[in-house]
Amino acid sequence: MTKLKPMPRRRLLRGSLVGGASIAIGLPLLEAMLNTHGEKLAYGQALPKRFGVFFFGNGRGVEPAKWRPTGTGASWTPSVELAPLAELKDYVSVVTGMNAKLDKSPQGHHKGSAAILSGYDFITQPANNAPYRSTFAKPSIDQVAAGVLGTTTAFKSLEIGVSKRVINGEGTTIQYISHNGPDSGNPPELSPRNLFSRLFAGNAPAMAAPGVPAMPDPVRAMRKSILDTVLEDLSTLGQRVGTADRARLDQHTESIRAIERRLDTEPEVATASCNPVQPAADPTASNSKEPIEERMQAMGDLLALAMSCDVSRVFSIQFIGSAAGPVFWQVGADRGHHDISHDGQSSQAVIEACTIFTMKQLAGLLTKFRNTPDGAGNLLDSMALLGTSDASDGAAHTVNDYPIIVAGKAGGALVHPGVHYASNGEHTNRVLLTILRAVGVQLPELGMGSYVQTMGVSALEA
């Protein structure tokens, strides 16, 4: 590549929305920000690493063979339920045969969620008329990663939800997947429009006093396009960079405009001027059918943009919550997923279809990351992502032979092409240690009691 004057990674495009709200748009990783080989930033720093979690509640079904790949090592073949990931096989590793056991946490979906998302036992709480109640004892792994990776980005981490049908009466353990610690869950953002506003609008609308005109809502001011506010800065930047970077900027701006156009078609909510509320962002539901596929696609677009612009380096996606009951009408289900998962073998065909549908959504997200340039490679090259659930068999709440997917290269720290690692009963904390260490979180150990682990999984390491 032809090198021009180096540009810092933190370069932003700046402007002002109608009403004076400031705005800053992050830039993708341009050639001008890199060294000659595209392997480091222009001023010698290593390219950033990313960490993510994709979580789906209620397990993978009662038949392990439907999930378990055939073959081991790099020669594995995706199973029926993992078939949507076939085209991403080089970037995906599957771990089977591991156990997510804990010393003191016996209860259903609570134990699996706490084990795989933090590595520690949960804290039991008074039930208060609920079947059971608990909270995380320690931070979840995304927040452990954010403590290292999120210290210099605009957002330490991004928490995203897809299905709105979650369990909110049994404590934070199964209400949220991201935790700072006991009774400190991080509520996920369920609105693509609100996430867009958080990522790009520098100031939230001010609350006006009675009789004082309210500052215009930045989201509604987006009808004067976000990009239109920074055209002058963008023009100046375009004169500083080479041909390849100008093409990259054109692609980046068109991606933002495409997201704007999608979100701008959603209906606005009428509000009093003294109490502005941002418009609803969810794709329109039809006959109470939750549009989780459309919402996931919108969130994936925004996440790829956020990671590319280095707005954040850590994210968690609660696709469906633990013990939650979204109806996968897209594959013919007519009852909540949690209820169907407890039918056992009699509903295995429906659960299998739901799992395949879920893996299709994960595959779509990973494809967006793979197709987003980043330095000399793409976002998956710099990322470690954990895909998992709160149980193996949701009917029995089993935590043996746990469903685990590890995606990305983590800057060369994770094996590529991906492998199928068939464990003989090792603890899942070994996977958590592996992926955290891969992105630079150097924990000496993870877990407590008899399940403390100090070693990762060498088969997943490059």
Side-chain angles (χ1 to χ4, degrees):
M1 66 180 73
T2 301
K3 292 298 294 180
L4 302 176
K5 182 179 179 181
M7 181 184 301
R9 181 66 184 94
R10 291 297 168 200
R11 175 69 163 85
L12 301 173
L13 299 176
R14 298 186 181 279
S16 297
L17 291 170
V18 175
S22 64
I23 187 168
I25 295 181
L27 290 169
L29 199 56
L30 303 175
E31 286 187 357
M33 301 172 180
L34 301 169
N35 67 4
T36 302
H37 302 291
E39 298 170 346
K40 292 185 178 181
L41 297 179
Y43 294 98
Q45 308 99 315
L47 295 179
K49 292 187 177 184
R50 285 91 171 185
F51 184 89
V53 174
F54 179 90
F55 182 89
F56 56 100
N58 308 319
R60 43 95 173 120
V62 300
E63 296 183 22
K66 299 291 187 178
W67 175 272
R68 180 183 287 266
T70 57
T72 57
S75 62
W76 66 282
T77 301
S79 62
V80 171
E81 293 182 342
L82 295 175
L85 297 170
E87 293 186 2
L88 295 146
K89 186 170 172 285
D90 282 356
Y91 281 98
V92 172
S93 291
V94 179
V95 179
T96 59
M98 281 197 165
N99 297 329
K101 294 180 179 178
L102 298 173
D103 279 332
K104 302 176 182 178
S105 302
Q107 183 65 28
H109 300 268
H110 295 249
K111 61 183 177 184
S113 294
I116 198 63
L117 294 174
S118 76
Y120 289 88
D121 282 294
F122 59 66
I123 297 173
T124 302
Q125 298 175 309
N128 294 338
N129 297 318
Y132 199 87
R133 188 183 298 269
S134 74
T135 188
F136 273 39
K138 300 285 185 178
S140 53
I141 57 170
D142 63 298
Q143 291 308 299
V144 174
V148 174
L149 302 180
T151 58
T152 61
T153 53
F155 297 93
K156 180 181 177 182
S157 60
L158 296 174
E159 293 75 45
I160 290 171
V162 179
S163 173
K164 295 182 176 182
R165 297 173 183 175
V166 298
I167 301 298
N168 56 19
E170 297 187 22
T172 67
T173 297
I174 61 174
Q175 183 176 5
Y176 308 122
I177 64 171
S178 178
H179 288 75
N180 305 306
D183 278 327
S184 183
N186 295 312
E189 178 58 70
L190 289 157
S191 163
R193 184 183 288 270
N194 288 351
L195 180 60
F196 185 86
S197 177
R198 284 181 60 199
L199 294 176
F200 295 109
N203 293 322
M207 299 295 289
V212 178
M215 178 180 175
D217 184 345
V219 175
R220 291 187 177 152
M222 284 181 203
R223 293 194 181 277
K224 178 181 181 300
S225 173
I226 287 288
L227 288 176
D228 291 341
T229 69
V230 294
L231 282 178
E232 182 177 352
D233 198 12
L234 184 62
S235 176
T236 300
L237 177 62
Q239 297 172 17
R240 287 188 51 194
V241 300
T243 302
D245 279 347
R246 281 195 292 272
R248 181 77 180 95
L249 286 172
D250 288 344
Q251 178 187 13
H252 181 62
T253 54
E254 177 52 34
S255 295
I256 297 176
R257 286 204 189 278
I259 293 172
E260 280 187 324
R261 287 192 294 268
R262 178 192 299 170
L263 298 183
D264 205 39
T265 62
E266 301 303 325
E268 294 184 329
V269 178
T271 57
S273 61
C274 63
N275 186 24
V277 177
Q278 293 183 353
D282 296 325
T284 304
S286 175
N287 297 324
S288 299
K289 293 179 177 178
E290 192 177 17
I292 56 178
E293 185 169 24
E294 294 80 1
R295 193 176 296 137
M296 180 66 209
Q297 290 173 353
M299 290 299 198
D301 288 342
L302 288 167
L303 265 183
L305 197 62
M307 296 295 114
S308 176
C309 295
D310 208 30
V311 174
S312 183
R313 298 174 184 173
V314 178
F315 65 90
S316 61
I317 301 175
Q318 184 172 283
F319 181 65
I320 65 171
S322 180
V327 178
F328 285 89
W329 56 269
Q330 299 89 343
V331 297
D334 57 6
R335 291 186 292 133
H337 188 260
H338 179 250
D339 289 346
I340 294 175
S341 74
H342 277 264
D343 289 347
Q345 187 64 48
S346 64
S347 292
Q348 175 61 36
V350 179
I351 287 295
E352 178 184 309
C354 294
T355 303
I356 293 171
F357 175 80
T358 299
M359 291 301 102
K360 177 184 174 184
Q361 309 314 307
L362 175 57
L365 177 70
L366 296 180
T367 299
K368 293 180 197 297
F369 290 152
R370 186 191 60 185
N371 293 346
T372 302
D374 187 59
N378 60 67
L379 286 177
L380 273 185
D381 289 328
S382 65
M383 183 179 297
L385 179 144
L386 172 69
T388 193
S389 187
D390 57 355
S392 302
D393 172 8
H397 299 157
T398 53
V399 294
N400 58 307
D401 195 13
Y402 218 77
I404 297 174
I405 293 169
V406 176
K409 291 173 62 176
L414 293 177
V415 65
H416 183 86
V419 301
H420 170 210
Y421 177 65
S423 171
N424 60 359
E426 299 157 290
H427 198 274
T428 52
N429 278 0
R430 294 188 64 179
V431 172
L432 304 189
L433 277 176
T434 298
I435 57 177
L436 285 170
R437 289 171 177 173
V439 296
V441 183
Q442 297 305 323
L443 295 181
E445 63 181 33
L446 184 67
M448 61 190 301
S450 62
Y451 298 112
V452 171
Q453 301 294 311
T454 60
M455 296 177 58
V457 181
S458 60
L460 300 178
E461 300 166 359

